[in-house]
Amino acid sequence: MLIYSILFLLLSNAVTQRRDKSILFSRVAIFSLIYCIMISMSSLHIAYLDRGIGIYNGLFHITSTTQVFHIFIFIISAFILQFTGFFPRRVWLSKYSSLERLLLNNFIYYKTNITNKMGEQFKIIEYPLIILFIITGSIFLISSSDLVSIFLSIELQSYGLYLLCTLYRNSELATSGGLTYFLLGGLSSCFILLGTSLLYANSGSTNLDSIYVIYSLSDIVNNNVLYWYKPHYINMSLLILSVGFLFKISAAPFHFWSPDVYDAIPTIVTTFVAIVAKISILVFLLELVHYTNNSIFVNQYAWTSTFLVSSLLSLIIGTIVGLTQYRIKRLFAYSTISHLGFILLALSINSMESIQAFIFYLIQYSLSNLNMFIILISMGFSFYYYVNDNKEYKELLDKNNSPIQLISQIKGFFNINPLLSLSFSITIFSFVGIPPLIGFFAKQMVLSAALDNGYVFLTLIAILTSVISAVYYLNIIKQVFFDKSEYRINPNIENINMYASIIKNDVLIEKLTFRYNNIILSSSLTISVSILTLIILLFMLMPQEWLSMANILALIIFNP
């Protein structure tokens, strides 16, 4: 379905001359993703049979775990595509907002600035096409079971991300950020290619199942079986491979590119780069770690120790360096690095409890991060009829594509939009790990698994860094709720009446006027924020389904 959608969008791009078709294309892409969700759900029972199905001569392996994360990526991507599929603002009049009037009447107003119809994101018809390419690479990577398909999938995903970052042609910052991402992404691809080459040279096979078998058998050195082969051959190859993937997900100490790239590219693009690109790589690493760390014999050392070191550095660097940030997307970049420390800790332990914690943490953090970026974008659109005389804000580069760049820009936002501020604070508290929000239970599961397996030092570091990270999170809450707002209503539009028409069956029914305070955020943004915030807030009332799903997926991995 994804490939058909890509072909149809390519043909549509070729025959159209109008640049305002991008909204239609984004909506087509959303419907395609919804259909992909239905296909994946219908094939869940097939993937469950006999531990999954190998397709295309073993290049890909479809299991229940891969199908669940396919569905998850489709859902996340559909949420992100709504930024370009719907206008961000609308006019709301209580008299004309009944269901009957909404369905039977057309409400027409002629100020395109109200809905932001001329926004840069609505002029790029290639945007949904490139996102579908990236999603295709992501789901291929999750299901890969061969060195060839791994490299092709990660490059399909990465090339799409490079293009996505530089898609805003008139933005100098986005171009520089995309080039930085491209150069360092190319470096990480070299590590992945070197690792896969060494794995093939040392094992004689590109199939991961064959490599897992050789990895296990190579430990029987004392019994003179495969006496010529040492386990550290594959260990070193996998170590080099893991460095390339740690680069891709921006885990410390390979994190240095992500704060600059996140800050430079438009916020709408940052949302996709920060979430989807990490999910696919981490789910792929889950199976790779499990089958090479779960050997029936004891190794002298394991390549997964790399993840423990990276986890420790990510926790420390993401927390300490985050304390000095005043630009909000750079702060979110370091926050992501800190949370990757928890995810990598759960990944490297490789016990039943830790895999369950890994799956749950990855899902809840992706949803929380998505909600945070939707709220950040909504905040930018909320300042439509406000002005600020602060000279620093006026000199910000690329303001149209990233309206909120500094933490100080959201001072006193509670006075502008209380409900959005409340959702923002709930998501922040979930990041901190305050009960009874979903983030608390995720951190508790990871720390419990670490303690059960004897990782006391890393557990203490994780708890300490969580407490320290609360400093910069709570500073944001303080500025939103307790500082005085620097914004005031634009005097040029404060007393202006705007005009609209009510039309039914192509007949003018009524002409009416509205004011600036009738302009609100669109339903697509408000409904998305509401759904995600309620998931974060009300997890205590519906924990069984989430925990059962994570437990079942962990059981499937551990019980062949």
Side-chain angles (χ1 to χ4, degrees):
M1 185 61 202
L2 281 173
I3 293 170
Y4 280 139
S5 304
I6 289 171
L7 290 174
F8 286 137
L9 285 178
L10 277 170
L11 291 172
S12 303
N13 287 348
V15 299
T16 184
Q17 294 292 326
R18 295 177 58 185
R19 304 301 292 180
D20 58 355
K21 291 283 188 182
S22 65
I23 280 199
L24 175 62
F25 289 167
S26 294
R27 292 178 183 178
V28 168
I30 291 172
F31 281 115
S32 302
L33 292 174
I34 292 171
Y35 192 68
C36 288
I37 292 170
M38 295 167 60
I39 294 172
S40 296
M41 291 184 71
S42 67
S43 60
L44 268 174
H45 68 285
I46 300 174
Y48 183 72
L49 299 174
D50 298 324
R51 294 274 294 119
I53 300 171
I55 57 174
Y56 298 115
N57 200 25
L59 287 177
F60 300 100
H61 188 216
I62 307 300
T63 65
S64 296
T65 306
T66 62
Q67 291 294 86
V68 166
F69 279 101
H70 287 177
I71 294 169
F72 186 60
I73 285 179
F74 295 147
I75 293 172
I76 294 282
S77 303
F79 269 107
I80 294 172
L81 272 168
Q82 68 168 327
F83 297 144
T84 53
F86 301 93
F87 295 123
R89 289 184 290 262
R90 63 188 174 94
V91 175
W92 182 83
L93 297 168
S94 56
K95 181 181 177 183
Y96 297 96
S97 297
S98 66
L99 186 61
E100 180 186 357
R101 288 181 180 269
L102 287 173
L103 292 176
L104 300 179
N105 301 327
N106 287 331
F107 183 80
I108 298 175
Y109 46 90
Y110 302 100
K111 297 289 184 182
T112 57
N113 287 336
I114 293 173
T115 54
N116 195 42
K117 283 186 179 179
M118 303 308 293
E120 185 71 20
Q121 70 269 32
F122 301 122
K123 299 177 183 178
I124 304 171
I125 58 177
E126 299 87 359
Y127 182 81
L129 183 63
I130 294 173
I131 281 191
L132 289 180
F133 270 111
I134 299 170
I135 296 169
T136 306
S138 299
I139 64 171
F140 281 172
L141 179 62
I142 288 174
S143 305
S144 291
S145 63
D146 193 278
L147 296 178
V148 175
S149 59
I150 290 168
F151 188 73
L152 292 177
S153 302
I154 192 67
E155 288 309 293
L156 177 59
Q157 173 181 294
S158 299
Y159 287 159
L161 289 169
Y162 306 149
L163 290 172
L164 199 63
C165 291
T166 55
L167 202 58
Y168 285 67
R169 303 173 183 85
N170 300 325
S171 170
E172 184 180 339
L173 278 178
T175 305
S176 65
L179 284 173
T180 304
Y181 191 19
F182 170 68
L183 291 172
L184 293 172
L187 176 63
S188 63
S189 296
C190 291
F191 279 102
I192 294 173
L193 189 58
L194 178 59
T196 54
S197 303
L198 290 174
L199 279 173
Y200 176 65
N202 289 325
S203 64
S205 173
T206 60
N207 191 274
L208 288 185
D209 289 336
S210 304
I211 294 170
Y212 298 152
V213 171
I214 294 172
Y215 185 84
S216 298
L217 292 178
S218 63
D219 291 328
I220 321 177
V221 178
N222 295 330
N223 295 335
N224 293 323
V225 178
L226 292 178
Y227 62 91
W228 51 270
Y229 202 91
K230 302 295 187 294
H232 60 259
Y233 292 164
I234 294 185
N235 259 325
M236 292 305 296
S237 304
L238 289 170
L239 177 64
I240 295 170
L241 186 71
S242 68
V243 168
F245 283 115
L246 290 175
F247 249 113
K248 296 283 188 187
I249 62 174
S250 72
F254 313 107
H255 66 283
F256 41 84
W257 60 269
S258 65
D260 295 329
V261 172
Y262 282 21
D263 195 38
I265 59 181
T267 308
I268 289 175
V269 177
T270 310
T271 310
F272 199 85
V273 174
I275 300 172
V276 176
K278 292 179 174 56
I279 296 172
S280 57
I281 293 173
L282 287 167
V283 176
F284 164 72
L285 288 175
L286 171 63
E287 184 173 334
L288 188 66
V289 168
H290 175 68
Y291 288 112
T292 55
N293 200 29
N294 200 29
S295 173
I296 54 175
F297 302 99
V298 179
N299 290 321
Q300 295 175 347
Y301 65 92
W303 70 280
T304 49
S305 331
T306 316
F307 293 132
L308 284 174
V309 175
S310 181
S311 170
L312 176 63
L313 292 174
S314 296
L315 287 167
I316 295 171
I317 291 172
T319 302
I320 302 301
V321 183
L323 292 171
T324 64
Q325 302 303 314
Y326 63 93
R327 297 183 68 88
I328 194 160
K329 284 197 289 183
R330 289 182 70 89
L331 178 62
F332 286 165
Y334 283 108
S335 166
T336 300
I337 293 166
S338 176
H339 285 279
L340 275 171
F342 281 92
I343 294 173
L344 291 174
L345 175 59
L347 181 64
S348 56
I349 295 170
N350 191 40
S351 65
M352 175 74 75
E353 188 181 2
S354 71
I355 296 303
Q356 183 181 355
F358 168 85
I359 293 170
F360 182 71
Y361 201 110
L362 182 59
I363 290 175
Q364 72 82 25
Y365 182 68
S366 299
L367 291 175
S368 300
N369 213 13
L370 174 64
N371 194 36
M372 181 60 71
F373 277 108
I374 294 178
I375 291 172
L376 193 64
I377 290 167
S378 301
M379 284 178 168
F381 290 130
S382 298
F383 292 131
Y384 170 68
Y385 48 82
Y386 289 88
V387 292
N388 194 316
D389 297 325
N390 192 317
K391 186 180 178 182
E392 185 183 12
Y393 301 161
K394 292 179 180 178
E395 294 176 351
L396 287 174
L397 299 175
D398 212 18
K399 287 187 296 184
N400 292 332
N401 298 327
S402 299
I404 308 295
Q405 298 182 30
L406 306 178
I407 297 173
S408 57
Q409 283 181 269
I410 54 176
K411 276 183 183 177
F413 188 77
F414 179 74
N415 299 317
I416 295 173
N417 193 326
L419 290 176
L420 199 58
S421 301
L422 193 61
S423 295
F424 185 72
S425 63
I426 289 170
T427 311
I428 289 281
F429 285 139
S430 180
F431 282 166
V432 177
I434 292 177
L437 302 177
I438 194 169
F440 165 76
F441 296 98
K443 287 188 176 182
Q444 184 263 338
M445 288 171 70
V446 173
L447 295 177
S448 173
L451 278 177
D452 287 349
N453 287 272
Y455 294 93
V456 179
F457 176 71
L458 269 173
T459 304
L460 291 174
I461 293 293
I463 294 171
L464 186 62
T465 52
S466 288
V467 174
I468 295 173
S469 67
V471 174
Y472 57 71
Y473 286 132
L474 295 178
N475 176 52
I476 300 176
I477 297 291
K478 169 189 166 292
Q479 294 197 42
V480 170
F481 283 87
F482 300 107
D483 287 2
K484 185 178 179 182
S485 176
E486 298 178 355
Y487 291 89
R488 57 188 176 84
I489 295 172
N490 189 341
N492 294 328
I493 67 169
E494 190 170 6
N495 298 314
I496 289 181
N497 289 325
M498 288 169 268
Y499 301 97
S501 302
I502 301 291
I503 295 177
K504 182 176 182 180
N505 298 327
D506 296 329
V507 177
L508 178 64
I509 303 297
E510 184 180 355
K511 289 188 175 181
L512 48 89
T513 61
F514 61 93
R515 302 288 299 280
Y516 68 89
N517 51 6
N518 293 117
I519 302 168
I520 62 171
L521 290 173
S522 70
S523 300
S524 63
L525 290 175
T526 52
I527 291 172
S528 299
V529 170
S530 302
I531 291 171
L532 294 170
T533 304
L534 287 174
I535 288 173
I536 295 168
L537 182 63
L538 301 180
F539 171 74
M540 268 293 290
L541 303 180
M542 49 172 187
Q544 193 59 41
E545 289 76 11
W546 291 71
L547 296 176
S548 296
M549 183 185 69
N551 192 30
I552 289 169
L553 294 179
L555 282 168
I556 289 171
I557 292 173
F558 268 85
N559 293 302

